[in-house]
Amino acid sequence: MTVEPPRPLLLPQNRKIRHVQGIYLRNLTLPSLVDTIADDGSKKSGTKFRSFQVHKPPLQRSNSFQDNVLQELQKYSTNWEGASASLRQRTLEQVIVNNSADTFVTLHCASQVEPIYISEIIKDSINPTFCQFDLSVFGPKITRLDTVIVKVWVRRNDFKLFIEEEVNLRSLNYIGKLENHQYSANCILFDLIDGIYSMDLAIEFQKPKPGVTHPTSSYSALLHLSNLDQSIQDALATREELAAQINLLLERRNLAEALQAKEQVILANRYLNSERKILKVSLKRRKDLIASIEARKKGIKSGLESQAKAVDEIEDAQDKLMNCRKLLTNIIGELCGQRRRICEELQTIYPIDPIIHKPLLFTICGLQLPNSFFDDSDEETVSAALGYVAHIVDLLQYYLSIPLPYPISPYGSRAIIQDFISIIQDKQRTFPLYMKGAIRFRFDYGVFLLNKNIEWLAKRQGLKIIDIRQTLPNLKYLLYICSAGSSELPARKAGGIRGLLFGNTTRASGRFKSRNQSNA
């Protein structure tokens, strides 16, 4: 019993792109160097070149032409009857090597610029079998087409277009399976949902057995189904159009948001760079502050150590300080007593007595000295009296430790006084305290400076002078206050003035010597 060959499920007019789920290529034949074999089995070195260009299947020949080709092939095949197995093996390997290449396939349609399918790359094969795919994901504008453009790309060095064929699915021949078929060179096979189809091969099918026809559907039902399908397709087209519009709006919005985000990123980068600079400066300042703090800690530590030593020294010096304070108090008391004694002795040496029945008129050592009015007075008497006063005032500045603003040179009745601090036009700043042979206004100014010295000494003792022109009354008042006290006067110490003012010993002794020389 003979097995009936399989029949296609799809009618030719119903074959669409959506039914294609695979594509294959068999007997890949590339233009290359072809070696010819002589009738005696020897290999000739004749060369035959083919241009590497787009290959298209040849036109169908007539039966008479095919018979002639068959006779030629039979004649050529007789030349291999005596060939060895090794020669046949080498020839087969050479054919495989010459036609093996890297291959991939792309499918195109007239309504699309880009390919609707790109296969994977099959390496070093003359019968590439590509993975199956699903084209139903495309819209009805593509899946309902019945024509597809097939492009085969091969690579020896670079990928180049080898075959480009526009295929109408209605013209394909159903062969069922891949096995048990002799394929022509560069044969393209299509895998549809009901089996394998070829452009060249064909299988003769037996006519179907007569049978009873059964009604399937009415014309109105088919028309209604067609209208429903058209409505569905219109709805799908509308959905795609709306989706495209929405995508366009989203792209525009995303573009605006992208520009805004880009500006924000630029601004953020600026802030980031600024903050990095601030951070760098802060880190540097922090490092400097840490170093400064460490230095201060060391300084504080050394200071605390010094302070501890100082505290110890202070505690040790407290007793010495108390003793020194007691000693200072005693010395100050003794110093005040010695000053009282000296002032008392000065009053004894240079007695200042009032004149009876003449208020505010005094004599010094028996010599009358008017109060700054010398018109009717004896010149020698006035000069001698002023010399005594000048001597007392000069001694008081040392005993009381109060420097005089106007230095005095007590030369007896020829005493002089100097003014180095007043602003005067006269370049001569030495003024006489004697009347004979002196200019009167210079003498009067010298007496005025002497009275200012007495006022200065009284002011330093806390006294207030009412009239500085009263020379002897003011001096008497000053000596009286300096010698006043409730305690007894201390005894005179050995050494005289050296016991009070050690630093002025040389100057005082020099003045005493000069005074003795002048008296002599």
Side-chain angles (χ1 to χ4, degrees), residues 413-425:
S413 60
R414 292 295 182 266
I416 59 176
I417 190 169
Q418 297 174 341
D419 181 9
F420 297 110
I421 60 176
S422 300
I423 300 175
I424 56 178
Q425 296 180 355

Side-chain angles (χ1 to χ4, degrees), residues 370-386:
N371 294 324
S372 302
F373 295 99
F374 308 103
D375 294 337
D376 299 333
S377 301
D378 182 47
E379 295 180 356
E380 294 295 337
T381 302
V382 171
S383 299
L386 289 175

Side-chain angles (χ1 to χ4, degrees), residues 303-493:
L304 290 175
E305 293 176 356
S306 301
Q307 184 179 3
K309 293 180 181 179
V311 169
D312 296 338
E313 293 177 356
I314 289 173
E315 291 178 355
D316 296 337
Q318 287 293 333
D319 298 335
K320 295 181 181 180
L321 179 61
M322 295 301 295
N323 296 330
C324 291
R325 284 179 178 176
K326 292 179 181 179
L327 181 60
L328 178 61
T329 303
N330 296 331
I331 291 174
I332 290 175
E334 292 179 0
L335 182 61
C336 291
Q338 293 295 333
R339 285 176 178 174
R340 286 175 56 206
R341 182 187 60 77
I342 291 172
C343 291
E344 189 70 26
E345 290 180 354
L346 286 176
Q347 292 187 56
T348 303
I349 296 172
Y350 299 99
I352 300 174
D353 300 322
I355 300 175
I356 302 173
H357 305 299
K358 291 183 179 181
L360 298 179
L361 289 178
F362 290 81
T363 61
I364 180 170
C365 296
L367 300 177
Q368 182 180 356
L369 181 63
N371 294 324
S372 302
F373 295 99
F374 308 103
D375 294 337
D376 299 333
S377 301
D378 182 47
E379 295 180 356
E380 294 295 337
T381 302
V382 171
S383 299
L386 289 175
Y388 292 146
V389 173
H391 191 201
I392 294 173
V393 173
D394 184 60
L395 291 176
L396 285 176
Q397 73 169 334
Y398 303 116
Y399 296 145
L400 300 179
S401 299
I402 301 174
L404 295 176
Y406 307 104
I408 298 174
S409 298
Y411 299 146
S413 60
R414 292 295 182 266
I416 59 176
I417 190 169
Q418 297 174 341
D419 181 9
F420 297 110
I421 60 176
S422 300
I423 300 175
I424 56 178
Q425 296 180 355
D426 193 355
K427 295 182 180 180
Q428 185 67 28
R429 292 185 174 269
T430 301
F431 300 93
L433 293 176
Y434 52 89
M435 297 179 63
K436 188 177 181 179
I439 301 175
R440 182 59 184 270
F441 81 89
R442 294 182 64 82
F443 168 73
D444 292 338
Y445 188 73
V447 174
F448 169 75
L449 294 179
L450 179 62
N451 292 331
K452 291 295 290 183
N453 282 338
I454 296 173
E455 182 189 19
W456 173 249
L457 293 174
K459 186 177 180 181
R460 291 295 300 272
Q461 296 299 318
L463 304 178
K464 185 176 182 181
I465 302 300
I466 297 176
D467 189 359
I468 65 172
R469 294 176 298 177
Q470 298 175 1
T471 305
L472 290 179
N474 293 335
L475 183 59
K476 177 72 174 178
Y477 181 46
L478 176 62
L479 292 174
Y480 178 76
I481 294 300
C482 290
S483 61
S486 59
S487 61
E488 295 182 359
L489 293 175
R492 181 183 179 89
K493 290 186 177 182

Side-chain angles (χ1 to χ4, degrees), residues 96-382:
I96 293 174
V97 170
N98 290 337
N99 293 297
S100 297
D102 299 341
T103 313
F104 75 94
V105 176
T106 59
L107 300 181
H108 304 260
C109 61
S111 60
Q112 288 285 111
V113 178
E114 298 294 331
I116 60 175
Y117 170 71
I118 300 176
S119 71
E120 73 279 8
I121 298 175
I122 304 298
K123 295 185 177 181
D124 296 331
S125 176
I126 60 175
N127 296 315
T129 300
F130 303 100
C131 296
Q132 291 189 345
F133 49 85
D134 184 12
L135 299 179
S136 62
V137 295
F138 295 96
K141 293 182 180 180
I142 295 176
T143 58
R144 289 187 174 186
L145 297 177
D146 58 358
T147 302
V148 65
I149 300 174
V150 181
K151 293 183 180 181
V152 179
W153 304 79
V154 297
R155 177 176 65 181
R156 284 291 179 84
N157 295 323
D158 295 326
F159 277 107
K160 293 183 179 180
L161 181 61
F162 179 55
I163 298 175
E164 181 178 2
E165 184 71 26
E166 184 176 1
V167 180
N168 192 324
L169 300 180
R170 296 184 179 184
S171 62
L172 295 179
N173 299 320
Y174 181 77
I175 61 175
K177 298 181 180 180
L178 294 174
E179 295 82 6
N180 302 323
H181 296 288
Q182 293 183 358
Y183 301 106
S184 61
N186 300 321
C187 180
I188 300 176
L189 304 177
F190 293 88
D191 185 4
L192 274 64
I193 59 175
D194 58 343
I196 306 299
Y197 288 81
S198 173
M199 297 174 57
D200 301 329
L201 300 179
I203 298 178
E204 295 182 359
F205 302 103
Q206 296 180 359
K207 294 182 179 180
K209 297 179 180 180
V212 181
T213 59
H214 299 281
T216 57
S217 181
S218 63
Y219 175 77
S220 60
L222 293 176
L223 183 61
H224 178 70
L225 184 61
S226 177
N227 293 334
L228 183 60
D229 181 65
Q230 187 174 2
S231 299
I232 292 173
Q233 297 301 326
D234 293 339
L236 292 176
T238 304
R239 186 190 68 177
E240 292 180 358
E241 185 177 359
L242 291 175
Q245 293 178 359
I246 292 172
N247 291 331
L248 181 60
L249 292 176
L250 291 177
E251 288 178 358
R252 292 178 180 176
R253 182 177 179 182
N254 292 334
L255 181 60
E257 292 179 354
L259 293 176
Q260 185 177 3
K262 187 176 181 180
E263 293 178 356
Q264 292 178 356
V265 168
I266 294 173
L267 183 60
N269 288 331
R270 291 179 181 175
Y271 284 132
L272 180 60
N273 294 331
S274 177
E275 292 299 327
R276 284 178 177 173
K277 292 180 181 178
I278 295 173
L279 178 61
K280 186 177 180 181
V281 174
S282 300
L283 290 177
K284 184 178 179 181
R285 178 170 176 79
R286 176 175 173 270
K287 185 177 180 181
D288 296 339
L289 289 176
I290 290 174
S292 177
I293 290 172
E294 292 296 330
R296 291 181 182 181
K297 285 182 178 179
K298 293 180 180 178
I300 291 172
K301 185 177 180 181
S302 61
L304 290 175
E305 293 176 356
S306 301
Q307 184 179 3
K309 293 180 181 179
V311 169
D312 296 338
E313 293 177 356
I314 289 173
E315 291 178 355
D316 296 337
Q318 287 293 333
D319 298 335
K320 295 181 181 180
L321 179 61
M322 295 301 295
N323 296 330
C324 291
R325 284 179 178 176
K326 292 179 181 179
L327 181 60
L328 178 61
T329 303
N330 296 331
I331 291 174
I332 290 175
E334 292 179 0
L335 182 61
C336 291
Q338 293 295 333
R339 285 176 178 174
R340 286 175 56 206
R341 182 187 60 77
I342 291 172
C343 291
E344 189 70 26
E345 290 180 354
L346 286 176
Q347 292 187 56
T348 303
I349 296 172
Y350 299 99
I352 300 174
D353 300 322
I355 300 175
I356 302 173
H357 305 299
K358 291 183 179 181
L360 298 179
L361 289 178
F362 290 81
T363 61
I364 180 170
C365 296
L367 300 177
Q368 182 180 356
L369 181 63
N371 294 324
S372 302
F373 295 99
F374 308 103
D375 294 337
D376 299 333
S377 301
D378 182 47
E379 295 180 356
E380 294 295 337
T381 302
V382 171

